[in-house]
């Protein structure tokens, strides 16, 4: 098993475990409260509107939007960490078959690992400070690393000898 | 450690070349090193069978859901939202509550069906992934087989439990908020977790003992056309899915979030002014559809890519002639492109695109079943060979 293969397989297992632990923590301590808050805000907005309290209704819609902003990103982080981890494990089994030398394979694996960690990290940091340029930059840099690594793997798999 | 040992014969190098040259390469005697990786009713065989069957079942469920439930459910949710807006206009808070109860029920109906589809296919992916790592799970053959059965049992009952949640509710439940269907789903989830902990324990044993080689025969190396096409095609699908996701996040996500708030405010303004709220409700429905097709295209491209990569590893066990193997590979990749592309086009050309997308899903299911038949034939051949033990 090459260094690239080990990096992807063990990195993938570690990332999957981390993603699951994050999901468990989220499901137990955060998700229900967030869903209650979202549903509650929306229902409150309509009830306030029915009582003709329009400013309160608009405030409740704004609260719904803010909570949903966080919810979408929190769920995305969980699914992207685990999804990328599974992809890393599978590609770790196959990467030694690519038409590249060991050094290039290692750099591809490293890019994929760093991208898979950093991209969702940037997304979750957006919930700490909505519209943060640093968090968005981190997410973009991470996804760019994943895209470059995947493009290189497509070439490597397509060019491998029979 | 040599992970891949090239098998001699037609399952390895012999299948290279243009389609015409390999068109009538028939499956021949099973190479011994390939057969050794697929013992009769061993853990790997169970996981490969079960994994492909779960994925095919999950996809079939998804197709049925898309045709018979998805749009009708969206219509019901829209009607309930309109009823909520009418209740606002009539200054009727209890009507608002009733409408939101209806929306909650519709969303639960939709959510549990999507979760059934996702959990069944994902359990299948995990089963195939576990089949790959079996050589490194340092446990006895009997324990590995037990873990494989446990995993597949959980993989079947988890989606069944999730599906029943909406219909069973809290009927005859001894608990105030958890129904029998949730108990079934949670118990099945516990089976999956137990099986995964067992597999992790086996892996830990393997690497802690610093074994140089695998504890059982590794998957055979296969550089056939099918393997290379599925690997490259699968990675390309994942790449496209990722690019689409990046584009959606950069160009549409923030605009969609802002538009949703704007539409809801407009709906409330219209309702309180006793104006017609239907245009806002329609806008809200269109926005949800726009989000849904983009997310579905993104996730299906990536999931089909992962599926193609996983299936590339089981190609040595697909006992069909080269023409049929290529046919299933091409059908799988074609369906994997057609479904997400036409899901995206649904916004522009309507239900026709939806129908074509469903056909794309059906193509993937047929390819999966074709490959499963090949694996079954392979197993039957192995078991029928002289000296084979049942």
């Amino acid at each position: 098993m090459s260094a690239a293969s080990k990096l992807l397989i063990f990195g993938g297992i570690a990332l999957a475990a981390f993603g699951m632990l994050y999901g468990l923590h989220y499901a137990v301590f955060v998700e229900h409260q967030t869903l209650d808050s979202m549903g509650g805000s929306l229902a409150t907005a309509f009830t306030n509107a029915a009582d003709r309290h329009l400013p309160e209704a608009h405030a409740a819609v704004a609260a719904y939007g803010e909570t949903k902003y966080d919810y979408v990103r929190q769920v995305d982080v969980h699914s992207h960490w685990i999804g990328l981890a599974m992809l890393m494990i599978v590609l770790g089994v196959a990467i030694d078959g690519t038409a590249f030398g060991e050094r290039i394979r290692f750099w591809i694996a490293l890019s994929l690992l760093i991208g898979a960690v950093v991209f969702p990290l940037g997304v979750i940091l957006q919930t700490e400070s909505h519209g943060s340029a640093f968090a968005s930059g981190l997410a973009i840099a991470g996804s760019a690393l994943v895209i470059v690594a995947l493009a290189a793997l497509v070439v490597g798999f397509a060019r491998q000898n029979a | 450690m040599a992970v891949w040992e090239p098998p001699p014969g037609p399952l390895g190098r012999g299948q290279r070349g243009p389609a015409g040259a390999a068109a009538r390469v028939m499956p021949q005697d099973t190479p011994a090193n390939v057969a050794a990786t697929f013992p009769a009713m061993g853990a790997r065989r169970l996981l490969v069978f079960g994994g492909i069957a779960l994925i095919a079942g999950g996809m079939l469920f998804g197709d049925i859901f898309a045709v018979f439930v998805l749009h009708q459910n969206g219509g019901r949710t829209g009607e309930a939202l309109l009823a909520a807006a009418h209740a606002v206009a009539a200054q009727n808070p209890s009507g608002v509550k009733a409408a939101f109860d209806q929306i909650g029920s519709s969303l639960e109906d939709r959510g549990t069906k999507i979760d059934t589809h996702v959990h069944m296919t994902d359990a299948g992916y995990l089963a195939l992934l576990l089949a790959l790592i079996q050589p490194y799970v340092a446990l006895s053959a009997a324990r590995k087989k037990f873990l494989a059965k446990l995993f597949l049992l959980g993989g079947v009952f988890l989606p069944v439990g999730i599906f029943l949640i909406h219909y069973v509710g809290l009927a005859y439940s001894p608990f105030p908020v958890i129904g029998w269907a949730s108990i079934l789903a949670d118990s099945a989830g516990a089976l999956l977790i137990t099986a995964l902990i067992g597999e992790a324990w086996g892996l830990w044993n393997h690497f802690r003992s610093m074994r140089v080689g695998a504890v059982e025969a590794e998957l055979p190396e296969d550089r056939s056309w099918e393997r290379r096409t599925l690997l490259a095609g699968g990675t390309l699908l994942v790449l496209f899915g990722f690019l689409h996701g990046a584009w959606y996040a950069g160009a549409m996500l923030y605009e969609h979030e802002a538009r949703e708030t704007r539409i809801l405010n407009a709906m409330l303004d219209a309702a309180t002014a006793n104006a017609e709220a239907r245009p806002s409700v329609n806008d809200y429905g269109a926005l949800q559809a726009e989000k849904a097709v983009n997310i579905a295209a993104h996730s299906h491209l990536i999931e089909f890519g992962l599926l193609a990569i996983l299936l590339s590893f089981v190609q040595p066990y697909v006992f069909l002639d080269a023409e049929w193997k290529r046919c299933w590979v091409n059908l799988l990749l074609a369906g994997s492109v057609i479904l997400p592309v036409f899901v995206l086009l649904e916004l522009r050309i309507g239900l026709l695109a939806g129908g074509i997308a469903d056909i794309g899903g059906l193509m993937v299911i047929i390819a999966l079943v074709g490959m499963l038949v090949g694996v079954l034939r392979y197993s039957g051949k192995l078991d029928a060979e002289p000296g084979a033990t049942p």
Side-chain angles (χ1 to χ4, degrees):
Chain A
M1 195 183 283
S2 69
S5 185
K6 279 182 189 164
L7 193 66
L8 285 176
I9 292 175
F10 291 109
I13 290 171
L15 190 61
F18 183 75
M20 285 179 192
L21 281 174
Y22 169 81
L24 188 65
H25 158 80
Y26 182 73
V28 174
F29 297 110
V30 186
E31 189 177 21
H32 288 290
Q33 295 88 321
T34 309
L35 285 172
D36 282 350
S37 167
M38 255 165 60
S41 296
L42 203 54
T44 302
F46 276 73
T47 310
N48 276 328
D51 290 335
R52 296 298 183 264
H53 300 144
L54 214 48
E56 288 87 344
H58 287 313
V61 169
Y64 164 79
E66 293 287 305
T67 313
K68 194 168 182 188
Y69 178 99
D70 288 348
Y71 176 72
V72 166
R73 281 154 186 79
Q74 285 158 346
V75 172
D76 275 0
V77 163
H78 168 61
S79 59
H80 279 88
W81 259 328
I82 293 177
L84 284 165
M86 271 183 77
L87 186 66
M88 281 168 60
I89 296 169
V90 174
L91 290 173
V93 178
I95 196 169
D96 288 345
T98 53
F100 294 127
E102 192 156 337
R103 195 178 160 82
I104 294 178
R105 288 204 302 263
F106 182 78
W107 280 107
I108 292 172
L110 194 62
S111 296
L112 195 54
L113 175 61
I114 294 173
V117 172
V118 165
F119 155 56
L121 186 66
V123 172
I124 195 69
L125 285 178
Q126 287 176 354
T127 63
E128 295 297 318
S129 163
H130 290 195
S132 156
F134 171 72
S136 298
L138 211 58
I140 291 168
S143 57
L145 279 175
V146 173
I147 287 167
V148 169
L150 286 173
L153 283 171
V154 172
V155 174
F157 288 134
R159 286 175 54 191
Q160 69 176 323
N161 295 322
Chain B
M1 167 164 47
V3 177
W4 310 107
E5 286 299 324
L11 292 174
R13 297 169 191 276
Q15 288 186 3
R16 190 185 181 224
R24 298 308 303 169
V25 175
M26 297 298 291
Q28 295 175 8
D29 289 343
T30 312
N33 62 337
V34 181
T37 62
F38 216 55
M41 297 324 286
R44 182 181 283 159
R45 193 185 285 197
L46 283 174
L47 288 167
V48 169
F49 283 159
I52 296 177
L54 278 170
I55 295 168
M59 291 197 56
L60 185 63
F61 180 85
D63 241 12
I64 292 170
F65 166 72
V67 173
F68 295 108
V69 181
L70 184 63
H71 295 286
Q72 295 85 329
N73 181 280
R76 278 199 302 276
T77 309
E79 288 304 316
L81 193 57
L82 189 62
H86 286 157
V88 168
Q91 294 183 266
N92 176 12
S94 58
V96 168
K97 188 183 176 307
F100 270 89
D101 286 346
Q102 177 61 40
I103 291 172
S105 172
S106 292
L107 290 179
E108 185 193 69
D109 185 13
R110 178 177 181 272
T112 49
K113 285 180 178 60
I114 291 177
D115 279 356
T116 301
H117 164 62
V118 169
H119 281 84
M120 193 178 267
T121 45
D122 282 359
Y125 289 165
L126 267 176
L128 289 181
L129 196 61
L130 289 176
L132 283 184
I133 62 163
Q134 287 306 299
Y136 308 106
V137 177
L139 296 172
S140 69
R143 281 193 182 160
K144 285 163 86 165
K145 193 172 157 183
F146 174 72
L147 287 178
K149 283 181 182 173
L150 210 60
F151 184 88
L152 293 175
L153 208 61
V156 169
F157 283 109
L158 175 65
V160 169
I162 293 171
F163 177 77
L164 292 174
I165 285 173
H166 180 66
Y167 300 103
V168 174
L170 293 173
Y172 303 108
S173 172
F175 304 107
V177 289
I178 303 173
W180 279 111
S182 292
I183 292 170
L184 175 65
D186 291 343
S187 309
L191 287 183
L192 288 176
I193 290 172
T194 307
L196 287 173
I197 290 173
E199 299 283 355
W201 173 248
L203 276 176
W204 170 252
N205 279 344
H206 174 73
F207 289 108
R208 190 186 55 174
S209 63
M210 302 295 284
R211 286 172 198 269
V212 177
V215 292
E216 67 175 61
E218 292 168 331
L219 282 170
E221 185 185 13
D222 171 26
R223 293 194 176 189
S224 62
W225 179 90
E226 296 82 26
R227 169 79 188 273
R228 287 180 291 127
T229 305
L230 284 170
L231 268 179
T235 314
L236 194 62
L237 282 168
V238 175
L239 176 62
F240 282 153
F242 216 83
L243 284 169
H244 177 265
W247 170 78
Y248 175 75
M252 299 176 85
L253 179 63
Y254 287 90
E255 191 275 322
H256 279 174
E257 286 173 340
R259 204 192 325 163
E260 181 171 8
T261 311
R262 216 166 42 239
I263 291 171
L264 285 170
N265 279 326
M267 198 184 298
L268 295 178
D269 288 342
T272 49
N274 285 325
E276 181 53 71
R278 189 177 282 277
S280 296
V281 172
N282 289 344
D283 288 346
Y284 192 78
L287 173 64
Q288 298 310 317
E290 216 174 308
K291 280 188 202 174
V293 296
N294 276 289
I295 292 170
H298 167 64
S299 59
H300 279 93
L301 274 169
I302 291 176
E303 297 242 325
F304 285 149
L306 194 58
L307 174 64
I309 296 171
L310 283 168
L311 288 172
S312 75
F313 297 111
V314 301
Q315 291 307 301
Y317 306 129
V318 178
F319 189 64
L320 298 171
D321 71 48
E323 196 176 13
W324 277 109
K325 285 176 84 169
R326 285 174 186 217
C327 168
W328 299 138
V329 168
N330 287 328
L331 196 67
L332 183 106
L333 291 176
S336 301
V337 173
I338 287 171
L339 187 146
V341 167
F342 279 89
V343 160
L344 274 177
L345 288 175
E346 219 172 314
L347 288 176
R348 294 192 181 177
I349 52 178
L351 283 178
L352 174 67
I356 297 173
D358 294 334
I359 291 171
L362 197 61
M363 286 163 71
V364 175
I365 294 168
I366 291 170
L368 273 172
V369 173
M371 288 182 193
L372 185 60
V373 167
V375 179
L376 284 167
R377 287 187 71 206
Y378 179 79
S379 304
K381 180 179 180 301
L382 275 188
D383 296 348
E385 278 174 358
T389 51

